[in-house]
Structures are given as structure tokens and as C-alpha cells.
Amino acid sequence: MRPFSYQRVTDPDMAVQVLSAAAAANNPLTKAAAQPLAGGTTLIDLMKLDVMRPAAIVDINPLSEGWSAVDPGGESLRLGALAKMSDVAAHDEIQRNYPVVANSLKLAASAQLRNMATLGGNVMQRTRCSYFRDVSYENCNKRNPGSGCAAMDGVNRMHAVLGTSDQCIATYPGDFAQALIALDASIEITGRSGTRSMPFAELHKAPGNTPEIETTLQPGELISAFVIPGRWPRSVYLKARDRQSYEFALSSAAVALDVQDGTISDARVALGGVATVPWRAREAEALLKGQRFDDALAQRAADAAFADARGRQHNGFKIALGKRVVARALQQAVTMEI
Amino acid sequence: MTAAAPEPKANMGQPVPRYDAVAKVTGRATYGSDMPLDNPAYAFLVTSAISKGRINSFELDDAKRVRGVIDIVTYQNAPKLKESKLFSNGGYAGTTIQPLKSADVAHDGEIIAVVVAESYEAAREAANRVKVSYTAITPAASFDSPGTTKAAAKGQNGQFKEDPQVGDFAKAFDEAEVKLTASYDTPTQHHNPMELFSTSCVWMGDDLVIYEPSQYVYGLKNGVAEQLGIDADKVRVVNPYVGGGFGSRGSMTPRTAIIAGIARRLNRPIKLVPTRDQGFTIATYRAETRHEIKLGASRDGKLVALRHEGAEVSSRADPYCVGGTKTTTRLYACPNVDSLVSIVRADRNTPGFMRSPPEVPYLFALESAMDELAVKLNMDPVELRRVNDTINEPIGGKPYTSRALMACFDEAAKAFGWAQRSAAPKSMSDGDWLIGYGCAATCYPTQMAPSAARVRLQRDGRTRVEIAGHEIGTGAYTIIAQTASERLGVPLEKVSVFIGDSDLPPAPVAGGSNSTASTCSAVMMVCDQVRQRLFKALMPNESLTDKAKETVGIGQTPTTQAAKSDRPLDLEKAFDALGVGVVEEYGEWKPEGAPLDSFKAMHSGHARLVGGAAMKDKIAYAFGAEFVEVRVNRFTHEIRCPRLVGAFAAGRILNPRTARSQLMGGLIWGMSSALLEATEIDERTARYVNDNFADYLVPVNADVPGVEVILISEQDDHINPAGAKGLGELANVGTNAAICNAIYHATGQRIRKLPVRLENIEV
């Protein structure tokens, strides 16, 4: 860890101003000199590991009064970006009308972390790739652009099989993002020119040739809220992992269905633990829509979801596992009583 | 009585709460790095990013510019230290690879620089700014890497003297009616005790005080003195509490003498608190092992041939091995036995003791193979153990001092509900989950070592017990206090215990599960010396020893036999007769069969453990049986273990509460070892990749919903005066095999490589 300045900001304009002032041209957001601090569960971790070295920490927790509201009342669900994961997971109406959201949060991290971590910080959390998090490994294109990727032919059991490039195979580690992308969520972004809205699906960037650029957010921009249109009581978050709690997904599926008279009128499928970014499986959705559900259909949808997957030495199992997880999540969603 | 404080059965002490419970839960217990120091400087380690090669140069300017940096120590300016031999060759060290000696790097994460600064933060920041240029050589990471060498353990490791053999294995195996050949693998594992590998060194003139979590304060004191070239009497090691050891703190690591040397040069106390990931490379670990088991049996299940071949990884520098064949060749009746242990040298740090060092990997192999044999024989695995149970070990024909293996199997089976098992694989399920039941034997050698103690009794009954034992979380304070209380007949609350300080009378390493037997036998002996002095004052003409033995209960507490004794000792009168207010006795105890140099070795920090299979005319082991329920998800293949049940017999149980806690921890660790724990090695660089608690998984509460420990009553008068067999390393031995056996039952799939992960399951 290196010395840094700490500043608490009390209104959004001030936050944006301080964060923008520190921005430098051609520097990815993750290397910006000033970094916003919410729950701190990723940022502080990475600072201790010397992976992130911000000169300034901008504590945005005082904004939580305006930015942590949870409003499930209308035709859409609005979640403030500074709402705590635990509060949203425990919310009755969210459990009832958006079980995929509640469970993606409940099955993440540990109780202590969920009490600290915010929704905005959660979607911005960075990969758990061991080589990325250990600065003694020189080869990490995400940390040191152009240096190579130690994971590609190293220990890569936890790494991605979808959305990879020859530069980076680091997995996007979160759970909540899968629910957001599946449900066509949008995000509200507060920046220098006020507040704008953007589909959540446009937030994360696949590594391609620039794995150091992880999102489309610009320095000085903050996520202030998430909006999920519609209600999705028939939805499931299924997560397979090595231990029963406090562990990242080896494979997960966020599934939401609308079933009318036995026919799937709308289907949403997103994958976690297997891709470099929150991953929407549109091919699987297309197969499901308009069909009557049976196990063979679930299998075809699962196969379609992983049609482009590529495994490496230790993570090839994720393809077969991911398919079974998708198929099972679909079965659970179809049979759930709502 | 509660689950945590089981009702004592015959030959068990009271489940009194921990002596140090309040101190621990209120944070008053002071661990090594909690010790207040006067104006300390803070050290932070820089460790190597290569596993083999040379350091070309350091760039230190950026680091030196950090405000508060006092010194940066590299091989170019490090204090000169003398070498210490490996503990198994008469030294104190857990590794002979001495960092900061030259530009050479011998393993991943070797200490290559020490930054000393006015604050921890400055030291850490400067350490982050140290730049190192290396010339790396391609290392050999493990078994299959090019460049390793393999040779028999016998002849190169001083503690591995013999590959046990008896009869004619080849012929018997060839002619056996039922045969099994199978290979098993265990992974690299790290102890990760909660307390980090901290060291604080304070010089006062020529005297050095070391605050460090150690499982052997006398070993560390003498070892550091040897490396610094000073008199051992000038060194004191203090650690009243150790935040877990599991073997990782049994032998000296290089860091201690380095920090002591720097503190001497700077003439200032130095405090080092390494990081969690540094703990993976600056201390020891359990190396990966490979096994081939051959079993031959008659159709009725009787073993006729057994062969166990093991291979273990060690460093280039040191021939460390655990050699568990001494146990696996003796566990069951079998007339024809063969074995071989080999060591494979790779570019790694030297491995070392890790809880139940030989038994964990070697019994995983044997107890998995026994289950496979039971399947081949279409026999209940419990009955296979019964058919081959024996009171005489097969290699030398020596009798076990006591052996309650089948009593443990029967009790645990009953509590578990083994009878409800449907024997066919894949025949039990619950919704999405396939259910499997499995079991395995567990055992651990009963070991003892010479130990001294000092006991002081005051006229008012207040008692002080001093012994350089170790509280590594096991309950040492508690049982030592109980032992003195019972032996002297004074109330428990009047007993104070002082341990974890090398200025106290010497005790052995807290390893090999010998502490209870050794320290309590010594305390009992010295308590008897106190009683005899008092008794002699009152009744100078009586036969002292016999009468003193009868006259239990100086303090005449009504719960002891003293109240029943016809002539209890009157404490006040005895002190009056002696004309003193305090009686203090010191004594040195050694177990039967201890070598001649035992007491000398005890003072110089060399533990001479005796017992187990190494005794002359008998063999002593604690036994147990473990049953587990495993659930395997049909869809995700996730493996969970909702129930662990173990029954254990370990001689006298001094405190059922602390014993249960130890055994419960062992069962949980056993499950963890089977399903979660493995240190991943990057084959290309021989570096550990998952060197942190986020990536090196251990169980969370949700993983262990049900753990049941059954204590079996057992009396053994042939081991030590305390009557105790060690049980600290008993429970995590059988669990690996029990879990794999249950996975076979759940899925029909036999898995012979640990840990078992969901990708290994093909339902």
C-alpha cells in the first residue's frame, strides 16, 4: 500500500468534480489517480496488494442518503447504487418479484461483506485472477498492458471460457451483474454533464486487445442507480461453487422466464463464473422463446449458451458444468410456484 | 453437561472450561506481535519472484526515498549467520536453505531483502518499491517436472531408518485370491495458522528476547543462539499464546535469526509481521505425495499381502520426508508386507511437519484401498476391518498397549446410522442430491518426550506450575492446571500455570501429539515431590513414597479422594512442621525407553520423542473410526459433507471439553483436506499461485453443519504416568479416505486424488 489522500464528499457534484480533476488522458479508469470509495471491499483489498495505487480516495458514502433508495413499487425496480447488498437481498418485494436479483446478492460473498458492499461497487468489482492480484507476476496484460498473460498457460481453473481474447482470460467475478444483464437493466450515470442513462449491458467491456479497460465509465462518472424494467417473479439464480458459502461461482446462471399457457413467451439467460464480462446468452434465449418447455429444450438452450466457449488446461470443465447449470436453472424456473 | 462439555466417562477428567477462555474472548491474551516494545523499528520482507536462479541487481533508490526507511538488508549487507543443520540431522532448522547468504535463489518466495523502517506502513511501501532484476533458471516444480531426482528415503533422512517388511510379499500377492492395485495422490497443503509468522526481537545488552509463535521455545532459543554464535543462555523465547501451529512452528525458520541479527546491528527492537502470502513460502508446508498400494486377501477378507510404496517431494537442499509406512504396514494383521518410501527433489522450499504428517497422506491411501478391497469382496468395510483387526502388529509381532479400533467403529457406526446404509453405489438420494456413506479407520502414534517442571505450593494452597510447554490452542494451560489440581488436591482456581517461555523448565516440542503425555507426566511427578516433602515433615518415620501415594489430597477438597482417605494430609500442620511458607520442587521426567542423552538433549532443544512403533517390546497408538455422509449434486456435481461422526479412544482423556474441541477441529480439517485444500503450483515457474485465503479454500460454517465426536473410554497403563495418548493429530487422519469412500458410495466413482472437486465427478 502506498500513501494516498482521503476526502469525503457530501454531494454528487463535488464527487464528480474531484474525480474528474484527477483524470488524465489515455489512462484507464482503474488507473485514475482518484478512485471513489464506497464499501471498499475491492478497492482497499487491491490497494493493500499494491495492484491499485490511487493517489486520492474519494469517499462517496455521504451520498448514500440520496443514492441508496430501493423502490420496487412501480412497473420497474429502481435500486440506488449505494444500497447495501444485504439490504437489497433481504427486501421482501425484491425476493417476491425479482428472486434472481435477491438470490444473486444473497449468494455472493459473506454476510460481513454484504453488509459493507454497495450495489454500484459490486458491479465494478475486479477480477479475482491470481496473477492479476499478485504484482510479483510481471505478465498481466490487465495490470501491465502488453506484458503478456501468465494465466493463459498457468493455473487457470477459475478462468473464463467465454468472451476471452489472446490477451486475457480473467473471469468477471460478480453475481448481481448476471441478474442485471438478464433483466435488461439500465444504469444511471452521474457525471460532469448531469445524469444519463445507459443499458447495463454496455457497461463492461470484453478484454479484446485492451484488457486494462474494463468498463465504459469515464473518470469522474459514477453509477448512481440501477433500473430493472418489469417484474420477474419466475426467476432463478443458480450458483455452483467449491464451498457452500463465501465463494465465487465456478459457474452460475441467472434465468428469468415468462410462461403463458405452457409456452415460454419471454426468456432471459445470463452466465456467471465463466465469462470475462457479465454474459447474456441470447442464443439460448432465442431457442427458448415461443416453445413449450421440456428437458430436451433446456439442453439445447444450454448447448447454445456455450457454443462459442473455449476451455484451457484447467477450466475446460466449466463448459459441461455451465451447460448443466443453465439447464437446471431453467428447470427450476419453469417449475417454481409463483 | 452440554455438547461442548461432554459427560466424563470412566478414566476421563472433568470438562472444565478453558483456563484462558476469558483472556482469549476478551482479547487480553497477548500473542507474539501484541507484545509491547520500546521504540521498535518495523521490518517488511521482500521475497523472490522466481524459484531458481540468481539476483542480478537491486534497485533500491526509490525504496530508500520513502520517508522513515532505516535500512534495506540484502545478501550484500546482511548480518553473517552460522548455519544450522536440519532438525532431523541434529540441528534445529526446518530448512537448510539460508536466505540473504548469496545472490542465489533456491525457491519461490525466498526472503531476498528486509526493509526496516520507522513504521509498518513505511516498511511495506518501501518494500513495494524495491525492484529486483533476476536471471531465472527453469525450475523443476514437482513430481512430473524434468530435472527432479528420486531416491530411497532410507539412507538420506536420519529419521527414516527402515522400510518395514515381513514375510514374502511377492509370493503371497501372486497367490492371493483377491487382489487390488491402486495409486493415490495427495496435494501440496499449507497450515495457515491464524496468527501470522511474526517475529519480534529485543536486545538488552548481550541478552536477546524473541517474541514469536513457536511450538518449541527451547528449540528456537538454542537454534537462534547457534546461528548468532552466542550462548543459548543469552536467548529467551516468549510466547504465552500461539495462534495455531499445526506443525508449522515446530522447527526454526530462517527469519528469526535474520531479524535478531538486524536488531543487534541497529541496536533497536524490531518487529516483523509477514503477510499471509509470505507465510506460504517463508515457513514449511505439506508436500505432495504419491502412493501405490497392493493388497492381497483371501475370499473371507483376511489380508495375506500388503505393499505400500510412497513418494514425497522435498527440496534440493533437504531430504525431508514423513514416511508413513511405519504406520500403514502395522495397522492390520497381514503376514506378508513390503514397503518403500522415496524422496523426489525439486526446486521448492523444504517441506515440514503438518498436522499428522505421516498418517494423513499414507492412511488416505491405505484406507481408500481397504474400502476398494471391501467392494471387491462384497463385504461391509467395517467387517473388513474387524476381520483384520489385531492386537499384535505384523512387522515385529509387538503387542499394542491397547487398541480400541473396533469399539470405535461400532460406537461411531451406531451413532451415524451405518445400518441404514443401502450398500450399492448410487442407491441413496434426496432430491437433487446423491447420498453416500463412507468410513475409515484413523490412528496416531502415542509419543512422549522428556520434560521438566517446577511446582510451587503455598501454605494457603495457591499453586504455581511452571513448564515451557505451548498453548497452541489445544488447551495446554487447562489440562496442566487440572493435573496439578488433582495431584495436589488443591482447588483448580488456586492453580496458576506459566508456559510459553524458554526461561521456564524445558518441555518438548508441541508436536507429534506428545504434549499432554509429556508435560502432564512431568507435572504429576513434581507434584508428588511436593507431597513427599510435606508428608515427610509430618510423618518422618513412615514409608514415604507409598504413603504419599495413598494420601491424595493436600487441600482436602471434598471431591477428591482426600476426603475418603483415613489420614489426609493437614497442609497447615505440614508447613508448620517444615517451618516454611512455600514448598517448591523442580523435577525432570523421562518416558520409558528414552535415550541416555535425553535430559541433556531436552535442555539443548532437541526433543527425543519415543513411542509409537519405535518402542522395544510394544507399540502404542490411539485409534478412532470416522463415518461421513456426503452429498453430490446430480446437476452441479457440487460435493457437500453434512455429517461427520467420529469415535476415538486415546487413553485417559484429561478434559473431555478440550479433547472434543481438538477432535472436532480435526474432523473438519480432514473434510477440508479431502474437498477443498490444495496449494496450486504453476508448473512453469514452481511458484504458488493461490497463496491467500480467498483462493486457498478452507471450510466456512455452512460447510460443516454436523460434527459429532464420541469419546471412548479407555485405560492404558503401559504408556506414560498421565495415561494419555495424544489426540491432537488423531481426527484428521481418516477423514480423507472416509470422504472418498462416501463419494464412491454416492456416485459409483472411485477418486484417488485429493482434493476431490466437482470437475472430478462424472455422475
Side-chain angles (χ1 to χ4, degrees), chain B residues 695-744:
Chain B
D695 296 333
Y696 183 99
L697 298 190
V698 295
V700 295
N701 282 323
D703 291 309
V704 279
V707 188
E708 185 180 351
V709 170
I710 300 161
L711 298 168
I712 302 288
S713 183
E714 180 181 68
Q715 181 159 345
D716 190 329
D717 298 327
H718 310 288
I719 41 177
N720 53 66
K725 296 176 172 179
L727 52 72
E729 294 168 273
L730 176 58
N732 64 321
V733 170
T735 334
N736 284 306
I739 298 245
C740 287
N741 299 342
I743 290 172
Y744 171 78

Side-chain angles (χ1 to χ4, degrees), chain B residues 346-367:
Chain B
D347 295 302
R348 300 273 296 280
N349 193 9
T350 305
F353 310 115
M354 185 158 157
R355 198 176 186 183
S356 339
E359 282 71 24
V360 162
Y362 281 74
L363 256 82
F364 164 61
L366 178 65
E367 286 298 289

Side-chain angles (χ1 to χ4, degrees), chain B residues 189-512:
Chain B
Q189 295 179 334
H190 277 79
H191 320 71
N192 284 313
M194 189 87 82
E195 186 181 5
L196 295 165
F197 289 94
S198 69
T199 296
S200 295
C201 288
V202 183
W203 288 88
M204 282 169 287
D206 292 337
D207 291 324
L208 170 66
V209 179
I210 301 168
Y211 301 106
E212 176 178 312
S214 166
Q215 291 173 253
Y216 195 15
V217 290
Y218 265 75
L220 187 59
K221 159 199 166 106
N222 283 278
V224 171
E226 183 182 79
Q227 283 206 271
L228 294 171
I230 62 175
D231 190 335
D233 287 344
K234 298 285 184 193
V235 181
R236 180 181 176 196
V237 178
V238 180
N239 61 1
Y241 297 97
V242 179
F246 315 113
S248 66
R249 320 205 201 266
S251 38
M252 179 174 64
T253 72
R255 74 184 192 276
T256 315
I258 291 171
I259 295 300
I262 297 172
R264 182 165 60 180
R265 180 197 286 171
L266 295 178
N267 194 25
R268 194 165 162 189
I270 293 190
K271 178 166 166 173
L272 167 74
V273 182
T275 61
R276 175 63 63 191
D277 62 309
Q278 289 171 343
F280 276 74
T281 60
I282 64 164
T284 60
Y285 61 97
R286 193 199 303 284
E288 55 273 38
T289 68
R290 287 182 172 176
H291 308 260
E292 187 192 72
I293 301 268
K294 286 180 184 286
L295 295 178
S298 58
R299 294 234 178 270
D300 61 3
K302 283 212 167 68
L303 288 172
V304 295
L306 181 155
R307 185 170 196 279
H308 191 163
E309 181 170 348
E312 309 178 22
V313 164
S314 189
S315 65
R316 297 278 185 201
D318 299 312
Y320 180 84
C321 79
V322 298
T325 47
K326 67 176 182 288
T327 294
T328 53
T329 57
R330 290 179 169 93
L331 184 54
Y332 296 114
C334 183
N336 302 289
V337 176
D338 189 25
S339 67
L340 177 66
V341 172
S342 302
I343 302 175
V344 172
R345 305 291 193 98
D347 295 302
R348 300 273 296 280
N349 193 9
T350 305
F353 310 115
M354 185 158 157
R355 198 176 186 183
S356 339
E359 282 71 24
V360 162
Y362 281 74
L363 256 82
F364 164 61
L366 178 65
E367 286 298 289
S368 294
M370 287 294 279
D371 200 74
E372 296 201 48
L373 181 64
V375 171
K376 278 198 173 218
L377 291 161
N378 195 22
M379 198 171 176
D380 184 325
V382 176
E383 295 315 304
L384 180 63
R385 269 77 172 196
R386 198 184 312 279
V387 165
N388 291 292
D389 192 26
T390 180
I391 196 65
N392 293 305
E393 55 88 16
I395 305 298
K398 295 182 288 190
Y400 281 95
T401 56
S402 58
R403 178 170 161 125
L405 177 65
M406 292 320 298
C408 291
F409 264 107
D410 292 338
E411 285 282 323
K414 203 170 96 190
F416 180 81
W418 182 251
Q420 275 87 61
R421 181 185 76 128
S422 144
K426 288 181 89 164
S427 63
M428 294 171 70
S429 64
D430 177 11
D432 285 3
W433 298 88
L434 300 170
I435 296 176
Y437 287 1
C439 66
T442 195
C443 69
Y444 195 79
T446 299
Q447 302 186 105
M448 291 79 50
S451 180
R454 187 182 296 116
V455 176
R456 187 173 74 172
L457 176 68
Q458 295 182 199
R459 195 186 169 96
D460 61 3
R462 278 190 292 160
T463 304
R464 180 185 171 100
V465 184
E466 298 181 347
I467 181 166
H470 308 85
E471 179 55 74
I472 56 175
T474 51
Y477 278 110
T478 314
I479 56 160
I480 288 171
Q482 282 179 281
T483 299
S485 163
E486 284 169 24
R487 204 69 179 179
L488 294 174
V490 298
L492 188 62
E493 58 273 18
K494 288 200 172 186
V495 181
S496 303
V497 180
F498 294 83
I499 63 178
D501 183 340
S502 67
D503 272 5
L504 301 173
V509 60

Side-chain angles (χ1 to χ4, degrees), chain B residues 128-161:
Chain B
N128 284 340
R129 292 177 186 274
V130 169
K131 289 192 188 66
V132 190
S133 149
Y134 303 97
T135 300
I137 299 169
T138 303
S142 186
F143 284 120
D144 297 326
S145 311
T148 55
T149 58
K150 182 176 179 179
K154 186 182 162 183
Q156 56 174 325
N157 180 308
Q159 291 185 342
F160 187 86
K161 298 193 172 73

Side-chain angles (χ1 to χ4, degrees), chain B residues 561-742:
Chain B
Q561 287 178 31
K564 297 172 214 151
S565 169
D566 53 347
R567 292 173 67 189
L569 195 62
D570 186 316
L571 197 59
E572 302 256 328
K573 276 189 193 161
F575 274 103
D576 285 345
L578 268 175
V580 298
V582 171
V583 172
E584 184 170 291
E585 284 287 327
Y586 168 90
E588 299 183 346
W589 173 85
K590 69 175 177 181
E592 180 192 330
L596 285 174
D597 72 340
S598 283
F599 286 136
K600 186 166 161 262
M602 174 179 81
H603 286 278
S604 63
H606 298 289
R608 296 276 188 265
L609 266 64
V610 299
M615 289 186 290
K616 208 171 145 202
D617 52 2
K618 57 190 174 186
I619 174 170
Y621 272 73
F623 290 94
E626 301 182 4
F627 289 73
V628 304
E629 177 183 327
V630 158
R631 292 184 167 223
V632 179
N633 189 289
R634 294 175 200 274
F635 301 97
T636 63
H637 299 181
E638 288 168 297
I639 310 161
R640 300 290 183 255
C641 181
R643 287 199 298 144
L644 294 154
V645 177
F648 307 95
R652 179 166 171 76
I653 302 298
L654 280 86
N655 181 330
R657 181 198 299 265
T658 55
R660 171 186 175 271
S661 173
Q662 279 273 75
L663 294 163
M664 184 168 65
L667 284 168
I668 294 169
W669 197 0
M671 183 277 279
S672 177
S673 168
L675 298 178
L676 299 173
E677 289 189 45
T679 311
E680 308 286 357
I681 303 164
D682 190 315
E683 270 289 325
R684 303 163 301 177
T685 57
R687 298 193 62 197
Y688 297 137
V689 176
N690 58 335
D691 54 357
N692 60 78
F693 269 151
D695 296 333
Y696 183 99
L697 298 190
V698 295
V700 295
N701 282 323
D703 291 309
V704 279
V707 188
E708 185 180 351
V709 170
I710 300 161
L711 298 168
I712 302 288
S713 183
E714 180 181 68
Q715 181 159 345
D716 190 329
D717 298 327
H718 310 288
I719 41 177
N720 53 66
K725 296 176 172 179
L727 52 72
E729 294 168 273
L730 176 58
N732 64 321
V733 170
T735 334
N736 284 306
I739 298 245
C740 287
N741 299 342

Side-chain angles (χ1 to χ4, degrees), chain A residues 1-3 48 50 128 130-131 134 136-137 149-151 153-155 157 238-247 250 314 317 321 324-325 328 331-332, chain B residues 49 121 124-125 128-129 432 634-640 676 680-682 684-685 687-691 693-695 697-700 702-703 757-759:
Chain A
M1 198 176 244
R2 302 178 183 224
K48 285 182 177 172
D50 209 31
R128 305 297 301 191
S130 305
Y131 298 99
D134 184 341
S136 74
Y137 287 95
C149 173
D153 296 310
V155 176
R157 177 174 181 261
L238 182 62
K239 180 175 181 180
R241 46 185 167 171
D242 283 322
R243 62 182 173 193
Q244 185 63 19
S245 177
Y246 193 19
E247 175 57 354
L250 289 166
H314 306 114
F317 74 93
L321 170 64
R324 291 194 308 269
V325 167
R328 185 59 184 154
Q331 287 170 342
Q332 288 181 350
Chain B
E121 291 75 16
R124 178 173 61 178
E125 185 195 350
N128 284 340
R129 292 177 186 274
D432 285 3
R634 294 175 200 274
F635 301 97
T636 63
H637 299 181
E638 288 168 297
I639 310 161
R640 300 290 183 255
L676 299 173
E680 308 286 357
I681 303 164
D682 190 315
R684 303 163 301 177
T685 57
R687 298 193 62 197
Y688 297 137
V689 176
N690 58 335
D691 54 357
F693 269 151
D695 296 333
L697 298 190
V698 295
V700 295
D703 291 309
R757 290 172 166 158
L758 60 75
E759 62 263 38

